[in-house]
Amino acid sequence: MKRTIAVASALFFLTLSGQCPCFAQEPQEPPTVTEMAASEAERLERLLELEYWQVFYVDSTLQHDYQAMKEELEALQAAKVSNSSMYIAVQDKWMEKIDSTYMRYFTEAQWKAYLKSGAAKLQKTRAKRKAQAEGGK
């Protein structure tokens, strides 16, 4: 179970960075938080035509939030939590924080483009999970 959670977390981070080596033949080390943040900041810079200062804030936000998310996930893993919904809740919490930070730094046009790039669907999915979790209590 511990290995499964670690693999799921790694795939989550790799999916964010757009560099999933799912079909690679050689085993590779997972990217560091700094590498994932830089990769995602570069992707958003190209996609949204971000200004240099926006890229700086996006990268800084991602480095902080990815690290905090990783630490929370590792704490759950160390506590031997086997409930996968707890791991998903942690990821959702940090992704919501990232989106709320992006909203402050992106222009209206950039925010709309960001949502169109798939973020809106992810936000709806997180909202559904949150509603289900609150309704199940």
Side-chain angles (χ1 to χ4, degrees):
M1 182 66 184
K2 185 176 184 180
R3 185 162 190 244
T4 303
I5 293 168
V7 170
S9 296
L11 285 176
F12 170 75
F13 284 118
L14 291 171
T15 303
L16 284 178
S17 68
Q19 299 179 0
C20 184
C22 299
F23 303 106
Q25 294 179 2
E26 294 180 21
Q28 297 178 354
E29 285 188 32
T32 65
V33 170
T34 304
E35 291 169 341
M36 289 185 296
S39 177
E40 181 65 5
E42 289 171 10
R43 185 187 76 81
L44 291 173
E45 178 182 23
R46 287 188 307 275
L47 177 71
L48 306 175
E49 299 176 5
L50 299 177
E51 298 288 331
Y52 72 93
W53 63 270
Q54 290 174 305
V55 176
F56 172 79
Y57 281 118
V58 166
D59 185 60
S60 297
T61 297
L62 291 175
Q63 284 190 40
H64 173 270
D65 291 357
Y66 282 175
Q67 184 62 39
M69 181 183 350
K70 180 181 173 190
E71 289 170 3
E72 277 194 52
L73 291 171
E74 287 172 349
L76 289 175
Q77 189 175 3
K80 300 185 184 206
V81 174
S82 61
N83 185 349
S84 62
S85 63
M86 300 221 17
Y87 292 89
I88 293 170
V90 168
Q91 291 174 346
D92 286 352
K93 175 182 97 172
W94 285 104
M95 294 311 295
E96 285 177 26
K97 286 182 183 246
I98 290 169
D99 281 352
S100 69
T101 302
Y102 284 172
M103 236 170 109
R104 292 191 314 221
Y105 298 127
F106 292 171
T107 64
E108 189 173 327
Q110 289 169 332
W111 180 249
K112 286 180 182 177
Y114 173 69
L115 292 175
K116 281 185 177 181
S117 73
K121 186 175 181 178
L122 295 173
Q123 287 177 348
K124 287 180 184 178
T125 303
R126 287 195 306 265
K128 282 183 183 180
R129 280 195 296 257
K130 187 176 181 178
Q132 286 176 345
E134 291 174 353
K137 288 183 179 178

